[in-house]
């Protein structure tokens, strides 16, 4: 290793890279481009220092960044990723970057300073069209990263998403089989990629813009969106999340409407308790284990030095039919 009197900052300046990159090279961490690693090693040797053998490739933490844990869907992703990383003998650092918490950019800066070996982002800033992807472009040469339900073609990385178009298509087909034609879409803010994709798929099926209500991904947001759609005569609602669907059911009951007798409601995510609501919620289930397995496998391969496929792998969800949908009367 480099003697203690040699400062990382000096070596980084001489090599023209960040101190985090020098540290990763010194500690034998994966995730550094071959040309960059060679440049750092060449600089260190030119200064008269010697490198010890690299540390084993199985060492190092994997950071999982997601918006929050209050949403059951994100908690499920955290649990599944933890299980799969543990099975691969990897330790996970969990970072929640929602409102009021540490920002994703701040997390990335901190993670680079502690030599994190890889990053998995779930529904992060790359799913937000108003957020800059620059921080991920900046770290791409230092740390391999994979993204679940977020995509940006300018960021080096692998992407794994559940098909929003498939979710909308199967929900619409199910409701139409019950005779519903006045179908509404209740979704979150259209700054988010999953919302944009659901809206585009819904419009492509011939529905007007007036059949879409965009609010926020919460019970209150679902209730507000449902109120608009009920008042305009919609008899069925497809929601962008399970919690929004619970809000839609609450609004129906506040108006004296029966679910599914008067109104049919479809959720999205199939959170753990949706089979036990009243009525049990018909919802779209993301193939969460398969998505997590693919993301972890790709990340581990990249951490061993293999290139990441810069592509988006799309997974097909399943419609779970329960009691919140029924025939139009």
């Amino acid at each position: 290793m480099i003697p203690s009197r040699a400062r990382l900052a000096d070596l980084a300046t001489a090599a023209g890279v960040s101190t985090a990159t020098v540290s990763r090279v010194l500690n034998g961490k994966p995730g550094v481009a071959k040309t960059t690693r060679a440049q750092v090693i060449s600089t260190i040797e030119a200064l008269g220092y010697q490198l010890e053998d690299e540390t084993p490739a199985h060492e190092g933490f994997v950071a999982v960044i997601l918006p929050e844990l209050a949403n059951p869907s994100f908690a499920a992703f955290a649990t599944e990723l933890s299980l799969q990383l543990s099975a691969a003998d990897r330790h996970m650092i969990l970072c929640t970057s929602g409102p009021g918490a540490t920002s994703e950019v701040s997390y990335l800066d901190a993670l680079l300073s502690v030599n994190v070996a890889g990053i998995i982002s779930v529904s992060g800033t790359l799913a937000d069209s108003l957020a800059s992807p620059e921080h991920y472009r900046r770290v791409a040469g230092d740390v391999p990263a994979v993204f679940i339900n977020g995509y940006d073609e300018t960021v080096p990385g692998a992407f794994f998403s559940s098909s929003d178009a498939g979710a909308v298509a199967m929900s619409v087909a199910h409701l139409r089989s019950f005779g519903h034609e006045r179908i509404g879409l209740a979704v979150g803010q259209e700054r988010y990629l999953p919302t944009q994709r659901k809206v585009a798929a819904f419009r492509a099926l011939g529905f007007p813009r007036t059949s879409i209500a965009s609010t926020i991904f919460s019970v209150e947001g679902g209730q507000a969106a449902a109120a608009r759609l009920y008042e305009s005569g919609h008899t069925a609602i497809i929601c962008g999340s399970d919690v929004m669907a619970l809000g839609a059911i609450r609004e129906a009951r506040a108006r004296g409407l029966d679910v599914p007798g008067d109104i049919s409601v479809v959720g999205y995510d199939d959170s753990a308790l949706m089979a036990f609501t009243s009525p049990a919620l018909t919802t779209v289930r993301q193939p969460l284990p398969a998505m997590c397995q693919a993301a972890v496998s790709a990340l581990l391969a990249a951490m061993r030095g293999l290139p990441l496929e810069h592509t988006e792998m799309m997974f097909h969800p399943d419609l779970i039919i329960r009691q919140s949908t029924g025939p139009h009367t």
Side-chain angles (χ1 to χ4, degrees):
M1 287 295 297
I2 298 299
S4 59
R5 64 179 179 273
R7 297 196 314 154
L8 287 183
D10 297 331
L11 297 174
T13 300
V17 298
S18 68
T19 55
T21 299
V22 173
S23 178
R24 294 180 70 80
V25 172
L26 294 179
N27 289 285
K29 301 296 184 182
V32 179
K34 290 182 179 180
T35 54
T36 303
R37 185 182 296 274
Q39 176 183 343
V40 172
I41 292 174
S42 176
T43 300
I44 291 171
E45 292 177 346
L47 292 174
Y49 300 113
Q50 297 294 322
L51 289 174
E52 292 179 353
D53 293 337
E54 293 186 343
T55 55
H58 70 273
E59 294 184 1
F61 289 91
V62 172
V64 173
I65 306 176
L66 40 74
E68 58 173 322
L69 292 177
N71 186 315
S73 174
F74 296 139
F77 270 111
T79 299
E80 183 65 29
L81 289 169
S82 175
L83 291 173
Q84 297 203 20
L85 287 169
S86 178
D89 197 26
R90 291 283 177 172
H91 297 291
M92 184 178 89
I93 301 175
L94 183 61
C95 308
T96 54
S97 58
T102 304
S103 72
E104 199 163 338
V105 176
S106 297
Y107 269 129
L108 289 174
D109 289 338
L111 292 169
L112 287 175
S113 69
V114 297
N115 298 322
V116 67
I119 295 172
I120 302 175
S121 172
V122 181
S123 299
T125 53
L126 294 193
D128 185 349
S129 63
L130 298 184
S132 171
E134 182 58 35
H135 48 288
Y136 275 114
R137 295 195 199 110
R138 176 168 50 84
V139 304
D142 292 332
V143 182
V146 299
F147 304 88
I148 296 175
N149 288 335
Y151 178 72
D152 189 298
E153 63 180 7
T154 69
V155 173
F159 304 87
F160 306 88
S161 301
S162 181
S163 173
D164 293 292
V168 168
M170 66 176 62
S171 299
V172 168
H174 171 63
L175 293 170
R176 281 177 168 167
S177 74
F178 276 135
H180 293 279
E181 289 300 329
R182 294 284 291 164
I183 301 171
L185 179 67
V187 286
Q189 295 165 288
E190 292 195 41
R191 62 187 288 177
Y192 297 112
L193 180 62
T195 296
Q196 295 170 5
R197 288 176 167 176
K198 285 183 175 70
V199 168
F202 191 70
R203 294 296 307 276
L205 292 173
F207 293 99
R209 183 74 199 187
T210 52
S211 289
I212 301 171
S214 176
T215 54
I216 59 175
F217 289 109
S218 68
V219 172
E220 294 77 15
Q223 186 167 3
R228 300 180 203 171
L229 295 170
Y230 294 156
E231 288 177 3
S232 54
H234 293 83
T235 63
I237 296 181
I238 299 169
C239 297
S241 71
D242 287 341
V243 292
M244 291 190 78
L246 295 181
I249 292 173
R250 176 200 283 179
E251 180 62 21
R253 287 176 173 163
R255 293 169 176 261
L257 300 173
D258 179 68
V259 178
D262 301 307
I263 298 290
S264 285
V265 177
V266 179
Y268 183 86
D269 282 330
D270 193 28
S271 306
L273 299 178
M274 294 306 104
F276 306 100
T277 58
S278 180
L281 186 67
T282 294
T283 185
V284 175
R285 176 187 295 166
Q286 297 189 68
L288 191 146
M291 293 170 68
C292 291
Q293 182 177 21
V296 168
S297 295
L299 183 67
L300 294 178
M303 289 163 59
R304 292 193 298 268
L306 298 176
L308 278 171
E309 291 283 343
H310 182 55
T311 185
E312 183 178 25
M313 185 180 294
M314 201 68 70
F315 290 76
H316 196 71
D318 296 310
L319 180 67
I320 309 302
I321 301 174
R322 298 193 180 105
Q323 286 76 52
S324 66
T325 52
H328 172 53
T329 57

